[in-house]
Each structure stands twice: as structure tokens, then as C-alpha cells.
Amino acid sequence: MKAVYLDNNATTRVDPAAVAAMLPFFTEQFGNASSMHAFGSEVGGAVLKGRRQLQALLGAQFDHEIVFTGGGTESDNTAILSALETQGARNEIVTSAVEHPAVLALCAWLEKSRGIKVHYIGVDARGRLDVEAYRKALSPRTAIASIMWANNETGTIFPVEMLAELAHEAGALFHTDAVQAVGKIPMNLKETAIDMLSLSGHKLHAPKGIGALYVRRGVRLRPLIRGGHQERGRRAGTENAPGIVALGVAAELAQQHINDENTRVRAMRDRLEQGLLQRIGNSFVAGDVENRLPNTANVAFEYIEGEAILLLMNKAGIAASSGSACTSGSLEPSHVLRAMKVPYTAAHGAIRFSFSRENTDEDVDHVLEVMPGIIARLREMSPFWDGKNAGQSGFAPTYA
Amino acid sequence: MWEYSDKVQEYFFNPKNAGTLEDASGVGEVGAIACGDALKLMIKVDPESERITDARFQTFGCGSAIASSSALTEIIIGKTLDEALKITNQDIADFLGGLPPEKMHCSVMGYEALRAAVANYRGEVWEDDHEEGALLCKCFGIDEGMIERAVRNNGLTSMEQVAHFTKATGSCGTCVEGVEAVLEKTNAEMVAEGLLDPAQAFVMGAVPVAPGRQQRKSPVAPPAPASSRMTTVQKIRVIEEVLEELRPALRNDGGDCELVDVEDNRVMVRMTGACVNCQLAAVTVQGIQGRLAERLGMPVRVIPVPAGK
Ligand SMILES: Cc1ncc(COP(=O)(O)O)c(C=O)c1O
Ligand code: FES
């Protein structure tokens, strides 16, 4: 049975070209980029190349605006903690209720341990940010506004360019967690007001444990990790040269494929989504259908529970994920779906399908073939499904 | 992915006795769709022998919930009602070759459904059908009796275990106090009955010191006054001030919070609107608690009281 991997928002396969490019840096070119000898300078050149490749993908003005880190979480932490130190008396954070835990858990800790005030801006039923509330939360006390570019669960895209300008009007820094957006939507950072941006290699076919923080020239940065002078003193620790090389190659590939993402990948996603909605009643799409990543579909199936769905999908060779409580070990469904007030009849049965350029039309066919049976089977077992409630969802029309 | 035993997988992928029983003589329903799992157990009982001759289930829930329900039906078919009532959730878990600790509540749900079905057959009022007020944990619809039974049957001695077995406290967290009290009381009874080593019994902790109090003070906060010298009226004024500062944030989330009462270091607040069931409520309570502790200069415990009380 062919495995169908539709969990690319969780992580992606490293592109073979990126693997090939990084391997020599474990063997022949193992030097330390800081060393004076030939072993080191070779590696230094490769790190610079990686930086420039990433600069190109982001449309950053200078290559030194890229600081390599150990991934998305580290970048998010660095950006927010730095702002609290560099912004003088400003000590408030404005963020959204649907951020990744890399931001939310940090904010919760800052509230608890440092008494920092954090404004969590809510979203509407489609997952769109309450921009009015955001505007009102910004004040002369705001050190930083941190709003994700695209949501990892629903794919909903936030208007970060406009949000960055609003933050600047209030004299605050603006950071965006673009871990899910980089490589999927074109960006040109030099033409935006965005001060800092976090990205992660493993979401764009580079390895896990490598990422970057874009820091606009002129924005002060306090390092999270102190030590050597690597990354111009902004992130200490010997450079992860193989990871950087692979991330550089992955960035170049992402740039080459960005049209593919927005045409072929989008078409596959749309076909899957439409096909599921047609074949399966009492299901709807969670997220802002008009403004979404091209690769993400979050489909909620009423009256059944996500973990059970995933187990049956896994048996049919399909990998996806769910915001259901049971899969995460918490007792509550996803904070994103709850912030959207997705009705509880469906919040437990939301499945996220996330594509990459490696998926094929056959993958979509296979999912469309097996999903109706899986959903029907579980609904038959559900005490809340009696066939009579088919089509009764008051929520569905919002998304029709 | 969870580490499910082969038996759990078998009973999930090929569940026995799934579906409805047309001429059921007893039906037990526990859980709710909002809580993430629910089970409807239908049994057919031979009135002469009081033997369960057939059983079916319908379950809304995860893999282990479905497997536990199916296992339950397999265990009880052929047993008399009295025999069946001797079964505990542990028997269900054992039958399945064990469940991950976080999933024990699935077996408890089976145990509770069986009791409900038998009560229904016998024409008794199932104690779970009570009014709202008797529920200890509103988020998951759990009453005192259910917590007591789970604690006794499984020898639970920590709040974490109680959450794994019953889900109580797992959402908004406003029921923590009440659940702690039941756990403490039940453990004490078990000690008295010689069922539990006193050293293991749960004793409600001393008032937790608000985290980070000694750390960096928020620059806007005035120096913490010695609270022992504060009168209650002064305390209330400070508390109102703090709540006022936090209010815009709560309102942003569609909720609100008001002061109800102050008793020594216990601050009763009422969370309203979106805060009641909001995932951030627990975080919010923690946040309010931290802020109050800092401003009052003493550890406090913020206790959310249900709306309209
Ligand atoms: C939106 C978002 N931010 C941050 C992260 C964390 O990135 P990393 O796994 O590289 O630390 C992820 C991925 O899990 C994500 O989806
Ligand atoms: S009332 Fe128990 S978790 Fe909310």
C-alpha cells in the first residue's frame, strides 16, 4: 500500500538535493567556520551562500539580516525576549490567541514570572484576526507585537504587512512567526515594515533543528544564547554548517517551486477539500477559505472524534493530523478551533490535511476514496449520529 | 501516536457489539459530545435470571474509548447484574492489556455507563442525572460520586491521576478546589479503612506561593506593601485596581471578571462571558493570582466561583 503523507505542516521530507548538498559537511568539509585555516574558510563560504539563498527567498535587503538558529521555536523566543530588553520602558506584548505554543507558552510564562502584560487578540469564526482589537491593544507601552503570518492548523493568513505598519505607528516592534508561510507564499521583506521574522527549516524540506530569525537592519537584538561571536554575536554557538547548507538549498528550491505551490498544490488541496465536502455530509472547512495557505485544508467532521479518524486513516496509509484533545494528550481540543468557536459537535472531529509539492493527484484520489467509508463507519458507532441530523448543522452555511 | 496494546487495536479496528439494541431493557448514557467522549450502553437482561444476554454500545470518542466500550460489552455478556456490577474500570483496562495512563478515563466511562444502564433497568434514578449544581466539574460533567469511585477503585492519590481517570480539572480548572477536597476526603477514608498507606494519602497543599514573586517586579507595580498591615478594605481596593487593569484584556477575549469576596488570602472572583469555558480561563486565573500576589505582597489564592452564585 502506498503511503500518502498529508502532514506537511507538521514536518516535511528533506529534499534529496538538500541532503546531497549537506552530506559533504559531515565528511570532507567538517571544519569550523570560525577557524583561520582552509578547513574553516571553505565552510565559512558555504554558510554565507546559505545565508544568501535564504535572503533571496525572503526578499531581505541584506544577507546579514539573517541569523541562523536552532529552529522556529528558538527564533520566536529570541525575537520576543529581545524586544522586552531593547524597548526601554515598554513592557507589553500584543499577540494572537491562535499562535503556536512557541509564542503562547513563552507569553504565559512571561505573564506569570515577570508580570508582563500580554494582549491576546481573538479571531472570528473563520479564524480572521480582530484587527480593531489589535489596533486598540497597541499603545505606548507595547514593546512588541507578534502575530503569525499563517496559522499552522487552518492555514489562515493574517495581514502581517498592515499589522506591522500599525505596530510601528504605536512605536512598537513587529515580529511574525512565518514558520508555515515561508516557501508557500511569496515575500519581499525589504518592502514591508516587518522587523523580525521566524522560520524553520523542517517545514520547507530542510532538516529539523535549523531555522532562522530575520532581523531588519537597525533593529537591535539581544541574543537569547550567549557565548561566542558567531552570527555577529546575535546567536552564539558553532554554526550548524550542514543544516545551514541544506536550508539554503531548500530555500532556493522553495523559491523555484513557489508558483507550483500556488497552482498545482493549491489545485490538489481544493480538489481534496471540495471532494470531501461533496462526499461527506455534515462536514465543513475550518479557516478563512479566501485567505489561506495553498497547502492546508482543515476539514471538520461532525459527531465523531479526531483520533479515531486518524487511526483508521493511518490503517489506510494516510498520514494527517488533528487538533483533537485525544491525540495531544490534553483533555481539550485545539486552542485554535476553540478561539474560532467551532461548535463542539465538530471541534473534536477536525482533521488537518497539509500538502507539499511532493504530493500527487493519486494521493488525493486515494483519500477521496477511503474517507467517506471511514467517516460513515465512525458515525455509525456514534451515539450522536442517527442519520436524522444529517445536514442540520447550523454552522456549515458559514462556510458554504 | 499512542502506544496502544494489540488488544486495544483489535477492539478498535474490529469492535464487537457496536450498534444499537432495538429491544434493550436498560440503557446507560455517560459523557457528552462537548467533553470529547460519550458512551451509550444498551443491555438486554433476562428477567428470570437477571443475566445480561446481550449488549451493544455506541461511542463518540477516541480509539481507546471505542475499544473500552467494546471490551465492556464482551465482559458483561453472560454475567448476572450483580456479577457485572462487581466489574471495575481496571478490569476493562486489564482485559485490553492495559491503557496509556492518560486514557484511563475511557475505562472509567465504561464502568460508569454500566452502572447507569443497570440503574435504568432497575428503574432507579441514576445519580448522574442530577441538576447542574451537583456537578463538581462542569466542563466534563463529573460529580462527586464519580470522582470518589475512581479514587477508591484505582487507589488514586494525586490530582494528575484524577485528571487521567476522570478528566475532572482538565479544562478550565475552576473545579480544582472541589476535586482536591473530594480526593483528600476519600483518601482519608481509605486510610481509616486500612486501604491506603497514610504517607501516600493526598493532603491539600499549603497555599501555593505565587510563582515568580521574588523575581523581577513589573516596573509599573508599586512596591509591594506588607499585606498583614493592610485592612480588608485596603486589600479590596488593591484587588479592584488590579482587576481593572486586567479587564481590557479579558474583554478582548469576550469575557469579564468581578470580585466577589475576600477571605484572608482567598480571593473569590466570578468569571463571566467567554471566560467561563475559555481555554485561557485557567491561565487567566493564574495570571490574576500572580499579579495580585505581587501587589498585595502576599501569596493569594484566586478562586473562581460559578456565575450566579
Ligand atoms: C507556526 C509555528 N511556529 C513555530 C513552530 C516551531 O518550529 P520548530 O519545530 O522549528 O521549533 C511550528 C512548528 O511546529 C509552527 O507551526
Ligand atoms: S469545571 Fe472542571 S475543568 Fe472546568
Side-chain angles (χ1 to χ4, degrees):
Chain A
M1 182 176 57
K2 187 178 169 285
V4 175
Y5 185 76
L6 285 172
D7 203 9
N8 288 282
N9 286 10
T11 197
T12 57
R13 185 170 79 116
V14 182
D15 194 285
V19 176
M22 77 189 285
L23 287 180
F25 293 86
F26 290 106
T27 52
E28 299 92 55
Q29 292 165 273
F30 61 85
N32 183 326
S34 308
S35 302
M36 288 307 296
H37 43 66
F39 290 91
S41 55
E42 260 178 4
V43 175
V47 167
L48 179 59
K49 182 171 172 204
R51 204 183 300 282
R52 295 205 165 134
Q53 286 164 316
L54 197 50
Q55 175 197 357
L57 177 64
L58 299 179
Q61 191 163 10
F62 304 99
D63 59 31
H64 58 74
E65 290 175 328
I66 311 288
V67 180
F68 288 110
T69 67
T73 304
E74 183 189 323
S75 299
D76 286 336
N77 274 257
T78 306
I80 292 171
L81 290 168
S82 168
L84 291 175
E85 289 190 44
T86 61
Q87 288 285 84
R90 291 171 175 260
N91 64 349
E92 292 184 6
I93 298 171
V94 176
T95 188
S96 83
V98 296
E99 297 295 309
H100 189 271
V103 170
L104 286 184
L106 173 69
C107 286
W109 175 77
L110 286 168
E111 285 182 297
K112 243 173 96 168
S113 68
R114 294 205 201 162
I116 299 283
K117 181 161 183 168
V118 183
H119 302 261
Y120 298 95
I121 309 303
V123 296
D124 69 7
R126 291 193 187 198
R128 292 174 297 200
L129 194 77
D130 182 346
V131 176
E132 235 355 85
Y134 171 82
R135 199 193 296 267
K136 285 196 192 122
L138 292 168
S139 77
R141 297 181 301 279
T142 314
I144 186 166
S146 180
I147 305 282
M148 65 202 325
W149 198 312
N151 184 267
N152 44 309
E153 289 188 31
T154 64
T156 300
I157 295 172
F158 290 140
V160 285
E161 291 164 13
M162 182 254 282
L163 300 175
E165 279 163 22
L166 291 175
H168 281 192
E169 281 168 24
L173 288 175
F174 185 84
H175 164 254
T176 181
D177 175 341
V179 166
Q180 293 293 346
V182 170
K184 293 175 196 151
I185 40 187
M187 356 191 119
N188 196 5
L189 292 181
K190 58 179 165 299
E191 286 179 2
T192 73
I194 293 166
D195 296 301
M196 292 188 270
L197 172 146
S198 294
L199 66 93
S200 174
H202 72 102
K203 311 285 185 182
L204 60 140
H205 304 282
K208 295 154 186 64
I210 182 75
L213 178 65
Y214 159 87
V215 185
R216 168 184 303 287
R217 185 177 164 213
V219 171
R220 283 195 297 152
L221 189 78
R222 288 286 160 80
L224 176 70
I225 295 183
R226 290 160 206 275
H229 55 266
Q230 293 89 351
E231 301 296 290
R232 300 178 157 218
R234 294 171 299 177
R235 203 285 191 175
T238 300
E239 298 85 347
N240 173 359
I244 292 170
V245 167
L247 178 53
V249 171
E252 200 171 306
L253 289 171
Q255 208 175 356
Q256 284 165 16
H257 286 104
I258 206 144
N259 283 330
D260 191 33
E261 286 282 343
N262 287 285
T263 53
R264 192 179 60 90
V265 172
R266 182 185 291 274
M268 283 191 291
R269 189 273 312 269
D270 289 346
R271 187 162 77 86
L272 175 79
E273 202 167 84
Q274 291 309 316
L276 288 173
L277 297 184
Q278 269 167 21
R279 287 170 176 75
I280 302 171
N282 293 71
S283 59
F284 57 83
V285 173
D288 182 6
V289 279
E290 271 137 42
N291 219 344
R292 255 188 319 167
L293 291 176
N295 80 317
T296 308
N298 193 317
V299 184
F301 302 101
E302 285 194 298
Y303 306 113
I304 49 179
E305 198 280 327
E307 185 203 283
I309 304 174
L310 289 184
L311 288 170
L312 290 176
M313 286 172 67
N314 185 47
K315 200 149 197 222
I318 306 166
S321 69
S322 146
S324 112
C326 294
T327 48
S328 60
S330 88
L331 296 170
E332 286 267 300
S334 128
H335 68 285
V336 177
L337 298 183
R338 273 176 296 146
M340 291 162 64
K341 304 195 171 59
V342 171
Y344 57 77
T345 50
H348 296 282
I351 301 294
R352 178 188 70 186
F353 302 88
S354 48
F355 287 79
S356 81
R357 59 177 186 257
E358 297 186 342
N359 288 111
T360 63
D361 282 323
E362 286 76 59
D363 292 348
V364 177
D365 292 338
H366 181 55
V367 178
L368 287 178
E369 196 182 307
V370 303
M371 281 307 282
I374 289 174
I375 303 302
R377 182 173 160 184
L378 290 172
R379 281 188 178 160
E380 237 162 70
M381 264 193 265
S382 166
F384 302 110
W385 178 260
D386 57 9
K388 285 195 221 94
N389 41 12
Q392 273 182 6
S393 171
F395 202 67
T398 330
Y399 292 95
Chain B
M1 192 74 74
W2 297 103
E3 291 284 328
Y4 283 139
S5 71
D6 291 346
K7 201 84 181 276
V8 172
Q9 300 203 25
E10 186 190 321
Y11 272 80
F12 169 69
F13 287 119
N14 297 301
K16 301 196 173 81
N17 309 318
T20 52
L21 198 56
E22 289 305 331
D23 44 357
S25 29
V27 178
E29 289 180 80
V30 294
I33 197 166
C35 306
D37 43 26
L39 162 58
K40 180 173 179 184
L41 177 71
M42 292 146 273
I43 53 173
K44 197 156 146 191
V45 182
D46 172 43
E48 293 292 300
S49 59
E50 284 223 317
R51 206 168 278 283
I52 299 173
T53 56
D54 205 355
R56 292 274 192 288
F57 75 90
Q58 284 189 303
T59 294
F60 166 86
C62 58
S64 58
I66 289 171
S68 297
S69 311
S70 180
L72 169 70
T73 57
E74 284 284 284
I75 296 173
I76 61 172
I77 292 177
K79 288 203 165 47
T80 64
L81 293 181
D82 287 335
E83 284 165 359
L85 283 176
K86 294 209 180 76
I87 289 163
T88 67
N89 65 285
Q90 192 59 48
D91 295 320
I92 300 173
D94 290 346
F95 181 89
L96 288 169
L99 285 172
E102 296 86 347
K103 296 283 186 175
M104 283 305 286
H105 60 84
C106 297
S107 66
V108 173
M109 191 166 73
Y111 167 78
E112 294 286 325
L114 173 63
R115 292 170 49 87
V118 173
N120 174 262
Y121 168 75
R122 290 181 169 163
E124 296 162 8
V125 183
W126 168 237
E127 60 218 63
D128 199 33
D129 297 333
H130 33 52
E131 284 158 24
E132 271 273 292
L135 285 181
L136 210 49
C137 175
K138 290 209 166 55
C139 292
F140 293 112
I142 294 163
D143 68 355
E144 180 165 342
M146 178 165 167
I147 292 172
E148 236 179 80
R149 288 191 291 278
V151 169
R152 280 188 169 272
N153 289 341
N154 300 283
L156 310 184
T157 54
S158 76
M159 290 294 286
E160 190 194 8
Q161 287 174 327
V162 173
H164 285 162
F165 278 73
T166 68
K167 309 219 283 187
T169 72
S171 182
C172 70
T174 50
C175 56
V176 166
E177 282 248 315
V179 176
E180 277 181 342
V182 175
L183 176 60
E184 184 178 36
K185 186 190 84 183
T186 312
N187 274 185
E189 287 166 11
M190 290 161 71
V191 169
E193 293 159 29
L195 299 172
L196 185 68
D197 173 2
Q200 298 208 309
F202 176 84
V203 180
M204 249 210 246
V207 178
V209 175
R213 224 165 35 83
Q214 276 77 10
Q215 295 167 31
R216 212 166 175 274
K217 294 249 154 47
S218 141
V220 288
S227 59
S228 50
R229 275 181 267 122
M230 279 171 108
T231 64
T232 304
V233 176
Q234 284 171 323
K235 275 190 214 162
I236 290 176
R237 199 167 300 139
V238 174
I239 294 167
E240 289 282 14
E241 249 172 57
V242 171
L243 291 182
E244 201 50 51
E245 286 168 26
L246 295 170
R247 192 151 285 138
L250 296 173
R251 292 232 169 103
N252 269 339
D253 295 334
D256 208 341
C257 170
E258 62 182 285
L259 180 62
V260 177
D261 201 1
V262 181
E263 232 175 67
D264 299 329
N265 58 2
R266 292 147 58 96
V267 180
M268 265 62 84
V269 297
R270 182 178 295 126
M271 313 284 280
T272 53
C275 289
V276 177
N277 289 315
C278 160
Q279 81 279 9
L280 292 173
V283 178
T284 310
V285 168
Q286 292 258 349
I288 298 176
Q289 186 162 295
R291 189 76 73 97
L292 284 178
E294 189 175 317
R295 297 279 281 273
L296 294 168
M298 65 183 230
V300 291
R301 176 134 199 179
V302 174
I303 302 165
V305 299
K309 200 168 120 180

